[in-house]
Amino acid sequence: MILLRNIAFSLLFYGLSVPVIATAPLSALFGRRAIIRHATAWTRMHRLLVRYVLGIRVRVEGQRPSGPAFYAAKHQSMWETLDLQWRLDGPAMVLKQELARIPVWGWSARRYGAIVVDRDAAAGAMRAMMRDAKAAQAEGRSILIFPEGTRVAPGEQPPLKPGFAGLYRLLGLQTVPVATDIGRIWPRRGLKRPGIVTLRFGEVVPPGLPRAEAEARVHAAMNALEPGNGTLPSA
């Protein structure tokens, strides 16, 4: 049954995503709001397929603050990148440059307002990321980053990449750590399984803290659902 769920999800999600992505440039012609609405429709489709095809339910803990914020999220799968786009009302998301090079999708992502970062480049790339983040903030949008830099397996807690500290200092926004345990049932390789996913909005980290303190608080809250912390829900 789990195998059939995975096959059905892949056929439906990727099959339906082709026309959505192919028509994204048309929406982009009508401005930022139009492409954000287009992306949100895509992520809503994903959300429905996750719930009713894969049998994955989401339990949300904590509360989002009102107004724009700087969100720093745990990254264990593709799921949270799409779910948080919908849940956070179209934030400007920090993406690695490899994704921005995908034909059609990459161009549309830039029109959406994605903040593209080259993780291997020098200071010039960092300045470009800061400029794009500041522009998104000027539009009244929240900023979303996965500050550990890549997808990790449950239990892995790599240090935050330097880009987090730079954006934290530059933006001066309330920072919200986001934890998830999706990796338990949505592995990077292997079959996705039905179950309950927890998405936890942690305590707001105020702007202006020393770098070490801000990073420590965000890192701890992002990893609050990791194995060994005694907070994992049962599936």
Side-chain angles (χ1 to χ4, degrees):
M1 184 63 180
I2 291 177
L3 177 60
L4 292 177
R5 284 179 180 269
N6 277 257
I7 293 172
F9 174 80
S10 294
L11 290 174
L12 288 169
F13 176 67
Y14 291 108
L16 293 172
S17 292
V18 169
V20 172
I21 293 173
T23 56
L26 297 177
S27 293
L29 295 176
F30 294 93
R32 184 88 75 206
R33 291 185 180 180
I35 190 64
I36 290 175
R37 287 195 297 268
H38 193 104
T40 300
W42 181 45
T43 56
R44 282 176 177 164
M45 177 196 75
H46 175 262
R47 180 169 170 261
L48 291 172
L49 293 175
V50 168
R51 174 65 183 91
Y52 294 106
V53 178
L54 290 178
I56 295 175
R57 292 178 290 152
V58 182
R59 175 170 58 199
V60 178
E61 298 179 351
Q63 292 186 341
R64 292 174 49 196
S66 59
F70 180 33
Y71 290 90
K74 190 71 179 178
H75 191 17
Q76 293 185 338
S77 72
M78 180 184 71
W79 172 79
E80 62 271 11
T81 62
L82 298 181
D83 186 84
L84 288 173
Q85 191 283 335
W86 166 78
R87 204 174 293 276
L88 301 181
D89 304 317
M93 190 181 303
V94 179
L95 297 178
K96 58 185 179 181
Q97 190 176 62
E98 297 92 311
L99 295 175
R101 290 173 177 163
I102 298 174
V104 182
W105 191 92
W107 182 86
S108 300
R110 289 181 182 275
R111 296 289 293 176
Y112 169 88
I115 301 165
V116 179
V117 58
D118 184 350
R119 295 177 297 183
D120 298 323
M126 185 67 69
R127 287 193 294 270
M129 181 184 75
M130 300 295 181
R131 182 185 63 245
D132 292 345
K134 202 65 180 175
Q137 183 183 21
E139 295 177 1
R141 300 176 71 183
S142 291
I143 311 296
L144 171 62
I145 190 173
F146 299 99
E148 291 175 332
T150 189
R151 286 182 293 177
V152 297
E156 293 181 359
Q157 303 181 31
L160 307 187
K161 297 294 185 180
F164 166 79
L167 289 174
Y168 171 80
R169 183 175 59 252
L170 174 76
L171 298 172
L173 289 170
Q174 52 190 345
T175 299
V176 184
V178 184
T180 182
D181 59 355
I182 182 68
R184 293 183 303 111
I185 59 177
W186 190 308
R188 188 167 187 172
R189 295 179 179 85
L191 297 177
K192 307 167 185 64
R193 303 189 306 275
I196 300 174
V197 172
T198 299
L199 188 72
R200 178 182 294 175
F201 293 105
E203 182 178 350
V204 170
V205 176
L209 296 179
R211 174 176 177 171
E213 181 181 353
E215 287 186 335
R217 290 175 62 172
V218 167
H219 190 263
M222 281 175 50
N223 289 288
L225 299 177
E226 289 302 290
N229 290 339
T231 52
L232 282 173
S234 58

